[in-house]
Structure formats: C-alpha cells, structure tokens
Amino acid sequence: MDFFAQQDIARRNSRLLVVGFLLSVALLVMLTNIVVVAFLFWGDRGQDSHFFDYFNWSRFGHIGLAITTTIAMVVLFKWIALSGGGKSVAEGMGGARVLPQTRDTAERRCLNIVDEIALAANMPVPAVYVLNRERGINAFAAGITPADAIVAVTRGAIENLERDELQGVIAHEFSHILNGDMRLNIRLAAMLKGITFVRDTGEFLMHSGRNRVRSGNRGNENALPLLGLALWLLGWLGGLAAGGLKSAISRQREFLADASAVQYTRDNVGIANALKVIGGYVPGTLVHAARAGEMSHIFFGQIEHSLWHLFPTHPPLDERIRRLQPDWDGGFIERKPRHYRAEPSRPGTGEVGVGRAALVAAAAASAFESQLQTSAPDADFPDTVDAGDVSAGVTATTLPISIVQYTREPLGAQAIIVSLLISDREAVYREQLEIVGQAGVKGLEELACTVHPSIQALGAPNRLPLLELCLPSLRSMSARQYREFKQLLLTLIRTDRETALHEWCLYQLLRHYLDPEFVRVRPSRPRYRSLEKVRYHLRVALSVLAYAGRGDPEAAFRLGADALLLKELAIQPQEETSVASFSRAVHELADCYPLLKPRVLKAMARVAQADGSLNYEEREIIASLAAVMDCPQPTALKTD
C-alpha cells in the first residue's frame, strides 16, 4: 500500500474520530441530564409524581451548553499544549534528546538506524529522544507535521533489541509519521482529555467533600461527594465510549504500520523478531512515565497491562506476528535484560549516520563497528564513504569522512551550510566571507574557509545530502543562535542582489525543518478546494521543474498538466519563470486542501522523471516543494 492510500485511511479515521467524539459528548449530555432528573426525583420521592415530570427542555439545553463548552475549552487547551510539536510530547514524558555527537554506543546505533529509515522513507532525519528510565521495550513518534516530528525509544528498546529488530520498530514509527497518524494521535489525546475532564472533576469533588468533613465543615458533606461520584461515573462512561473508539482506530493503524515497516526495511524478520522478544521479555512494553497513560495510543506496544483496559489500544502480539509471518510456530524469544556499555567514540571512527545519504551509515556501520571495538586508537580508517556503492536511491557520490565529522557539531554544520551558499565568484566570495566574519560566531569564518574548497569540489549533486546531514546538529543551537544564523544566510543569499533557485530551495528546506524546533509555526491555512483555483501557480511550478530537466520541457510539462487533468494549461516561457514567481506559486499551493497536495506532488514527480531519471536540481525542487507544502515527497522517485 503506497503513502497516498495510507493517507486516505488516515483521513477516514480522522472523520470517524470526530463523529465518535461528538457521539460521546452527546451521550455525556444525555446521561448528565438523566442524573439531574434522578436527583430531583429522589429529593421529592415522597410526593406523588413520575420520573419524567422533572424533565425540562430548558434545563436540558443549559446543561448541554455547559458541558459542551467545558469540554471544548479543555480540548482547546490540551491541543495548544500538544501543538508545540513532538519535542514537547517527548520531553513531557521525561525523554532526553540524543545529540549527534553522543558517546553512548546504543544511542549511536539508534541514530544510525533512524538515518537509514529516513532514507528509505524519503524524508529528512527527525530528532531522536530516549526515555532513559523505562526498561520496557517501546517507542513512539510524535508531532503535528513531518517537520516537527520526533522518534522516541525507551532505554529498554535500544539496550535489548538487536540491530535488525530495533530497525523494524523504528520503521514502524516512521510509518506513523508519513501516513498522518501523528496529527490524528494529537487530536485523539486532546478530545479524550476533554471527556475525561468530567471524571477528573468528579474525583476532585469527592476528595473535596471528604476534606470538608475532616475539617468540621459538614454543611455540604453529602452533596459534594454524591455530586462528585455522579460526575465521576458520567466521565467514566463517556471515557469508556471514547476509549472504544480509540482502540478501534489505533489497532487498525498498528497493523498498517507493521506492514509499512516491512516496506521500508524490505525484511519482515526484524519487526517480527522484535515482537517475539517483547513476548518473552519480562518488562514487556510497559511504560511508567507520568503522562504516558493519556498518550497510550501513540506507542509501539501496550504501555499498561491489558487487564486494566476493557479496550486495548494495540492488537495482541501473536496476531501481529502472524500477519507478518503466517508460518510462525508460536514461540517467543526469551531475552534477559542486558545493558550496552557506553564507550567514548574516537574521531574518525564509529558508525556514520547521515540522513539522505544514510545508507552511508549502513555501509559504514558494518565496516567500522567491529574496528571501533577492536582496533587500536591509531588504526587506519577509510578517508571516504562511497554512497553510490550502497544504494541506487542515493546520488552516486563520495563523501569525505572529514566532512561527515563536521556535520556532527553545530559549528561545523553551520560552516558547511554557509559554504553551500558562498559564491565561486571572487568579488562576491570576499564580500560574503566578510559578512560571515562580522556575524560574531567565533571560529565560523575560519572553519568556512577550511571546508569551502572541499564543499565546492563535491559539487552541486551533494547539496541536498549535505544539508540533511547537518540538520540534527543544527537543532542543537539555541533559539537566539538559530535566529542569527538564519539572518546570516539571508544576508549571504542577497549579497549578489539575486537569488538562485538552489539558494531558495536550500533556505526553504532549512527553514521548514528547523523552525518548528525554535519557534511556534503556524501551519498553512487550507483555502483552495480545487486545482482550478491555483491554475496559474501550478503552471509556474510545473514550468520551472520542466526547464530543470534534460529532456523536452514541453513534453515534460504536458505529462504533469495531464496528470492534474488541466488539458489546456500551457508551459510558461522560461524568461518568465523567475525565482520570485516560483516562490509565490509554491506558497500559494501550500494553501491547497490536504487531498490536493499529494496529487500535485505526484504530477511534479511525473514532470521530473519525464526523461527517465531525476537530476540533483529536480530533486532539490521537489524536496523544497514538499517541504513548503508540508506534504511528504512521493516515494517512487528514481535518481540518476
């Protein structure tokens, strides 16, 4: 099943969630009114009256309005609290950010696996967090969009799973990022909080009533506990209904994510064995973090024992395993908890985790890992890593290990990005270096001068892989450093009084994937329900991409226009396709409704591959388009 089919399932689940939530609120309003009528009837039980004589439509409306307003406010506040991105969710559960320069070998291995899956999923590398206090084997992905997504794993997972098993678990979480589950998960958590708030209020009133009795204030000693008990029961019933909905949605998505993990890793053994290990591992998938309960549906496995839940959020382990391996003999893998010893890594050694060029990590991991543990400190290591030998999906190129090492530190990553934007014209080059020196970042000018010749020698095909290599380290900057760095990049781009297309693409990618780390980003506002409303902007974007190819621009443009059913759309003259017009067009396309965006990107992919291949400039354009439009890139893109 491809990404866009998964998106359709996610959208259906989202609609089901909204309908189920509204039904749960309606049920809560009805039950509350029944309880109120019962209280009134019970209070006048000595009179000759019937139960329904105490029903009043006006009271029903006021109670319904009060409950709906309260729940809506709680949902809104919870949504705002969770909308800070995956970072806020992970840190709220006690997660610690794994830095690119970590010396912990288990964390380093996890980073490399995330790099590899990011390549397979055709997306930039997300930040990685570890829940160090959790012995259970579990993981989750969180965030509103792929730009602010994170992957979090428990300490038990990175210490007790073999490499292929951990790879399967992380690939499972990447599926949740790419098929839109993260936004659905956040909505689900916010809505459930609104319903369970009634139960929490009832519990508070019960405790408050008992405290009044202890303090000698017995005026309302019966009213408060009874009211609290009624609200608690109502909230429990409403939460039960919502929990059933959560279970139905979550269980189906887990099967889909398991299947997607096989697609990304091209192996069903890793994730199947991970599930078998969980079945034979005493701590299982249990997680004890304070806020884990309300986010139980985002985890890889059940975080609490199934005995405590009428509606489990995850399918049984044996059912998940049999879908992956129908001939499974029913046996689990028994594994005692063990710990990886954190060892300091030496410069020039260790596994190389590198985002888009990440199967560099796969090659380097197998070649270097044994040497890391057995070689002497002065052992010789390769000077380069050949990404072209690893995977046809990576631009054939050789990345020097020295450059890869620079990407692991914030200052080195900044120097590489600066070098990507420095001109090869002598006059502009000198002016830009002076600007870098005046930026006030100690050592940046010297380091940029050092790496610039190597970056220039690597050439344009390496711009995108190098940018993505640098993203994890750049996330380690402070908010002030990031603002100053982004302003420096804008100044460098404007030095020659013109903006090249590759400069625009690199800046947009950097801004899109780093802004959510430092500032609250407002997502694009859907305004265009049909492609007819963005005909002109589609014409500009398709034209720019068609001229970037090596084949016939007219024929390439026609493929994209026909895919969008815009038969009369004509290619724009090349002299009218400026970077400024392209930028405006892309930002307008970002305001299309979500269902339209995958169609647009599919059409762009057809234009780019009209000549049978995908060059580096076309890849940069599509990557920046997908970033600005906040929609993952099509996965079936073939490179030269």
Side-chain angles (χ1 to χ4, degrees), residues 496-572:
D496 57 0
R497 280 71 176 175
E498 60 180 357
T499 302
L501 184 58
H502 81 270
E503 293 174 332
W504 182 88
C505 290
L506 292 179
Y507 180 79
Q508 291 299 328
L509 285 167
L510 187 92
R511 178 196 61 78
H512 181 76
Y513 289 108
L514 291 183
D515 272 8
E517 188 76 20
F518 303 101
V519 297
R520 186 176 293 276
V521 178
R522 290 185 178 181
S524 57
R525 179 171 57 88
R527 292 188 293 147
Y528 303 120
R529 294 179 179 271
S530 70
L531 295 179
E532 283 294 331
K533 296 182 179 297
V534 288
R535 283 178 63 92
Y536 172 76
H537 306 299
L538 286 170
R539 182 190 182 200
V540 173
L542 291 171
S543 298
V544 169
L545 195 53
Y547 288 122
R550 298 170 183 168
D552 180 6
E554 291 273 0
F557 179 90
R558 191 75 268 138
L559 282 174
D562 290 347
L564 296 173
L565 304 180
L566 300 174
K567 303 293 185 182
E568 299 179 0
L569 203 64
I571 191 170
Q572 193 169 26

Side-chain angles (χ1 to χ4, degrees), residues 182-241:
M182 297 188 304
R183 181 180 288 271
L184 181 67
N185 286 335
I186 297 299
R187 286 176 180 169
L188 187 55
M191 290 178 177
L192 288 177
K193 186 63 178 178
I195 292 175
T196 58
F197 176 77
V198 177
R199 182 187 62 193
D200 297 339
T201 302
E203 188 172 355
F204 172 79
L205 290 177
M206 285 192 293
H207 287 297
S208 177
R210 286 199 295 267
N211 292 337
R212 283 173 176 268
V213 173
R214 293 193 190 101
S215 64
N217 184 359
R218 304 179 61 88
N220 296 319
E221 67 273 18
N222 293 324
L224 282 179
L226 286 175
L227 179 59
L229 178 62
L231 289 176
W232 184 87
L233 287 172
L234 289 172
W236 183 82
L237 290 172
L240 195 64

Side-chain angles (χ1 to χ4, degrees), residues 109-147:
R109 183 183 63 154
C110 182
L111 287 178
N112 293 334
I113 292 172
V114 171
D115 290 343
E116 295 167 19
I117 304 302
L119 170 66
N122 199 22
M123 64 171 284
V125 185
V128 180
Y129 284 78
V130 173
L131 278 62
N132 284 308
R133 297 183 179 181
E134 304 296 341
R135 295 177 62 241
I137 297 175
N138 224 319
F140 67 86
I144 301 297
T145 67

Side-chain angles (χ1 to χ4, degrees), residues 362-386:
S366 58
F368 293 170
E369 190 165 310
S370 60
Q371 296 183 32
L372 173 63
Q373 299 177 3
T374 61
S375 298
D378 57 351
D380 293 330
F381 292 93
D383 294 324
T384 62
V385 178
D386 191 352

Side-chain angles (χ1 to χ4, degrees), residues 231-308:
L231 289 176
W232 184 87
L233 287 172
L234 289 172
W236 183 82
L237 290 172
L240 195 64
L245 176 65
K246 178 174 76 169
S247 175
I249 294 177
S250 178
R251 288 163 65 91
Q252 187 58 41
R253 288 186 296 109
E254 294 307 313
F255 287 129
L256 178 60
D258 287 344
S260 297
V262 176
Q263 176 186 347
Y264 296 144
T265 61
R266 299 176 184 176
D267 177 29
N268 67 338
V269 175
I271 186 169
N273 282 349
L275 292 167
K276 294 173 189 176
V277 169
I278 290 171
Y281 181 69
V282 174
T285 54
L286 301 184
V287 175
H288 303 94
R291 290 179 54 189
E294 64 190 48
M295 303 294 290
S296 60
H297 54 289
I298 75 174
F299 281 86
F300 176 78
Q302 195 83 28
I303 69 165
E304 295 178 328
H305 199 282
S306 57
L307 291 176
W308 301 109

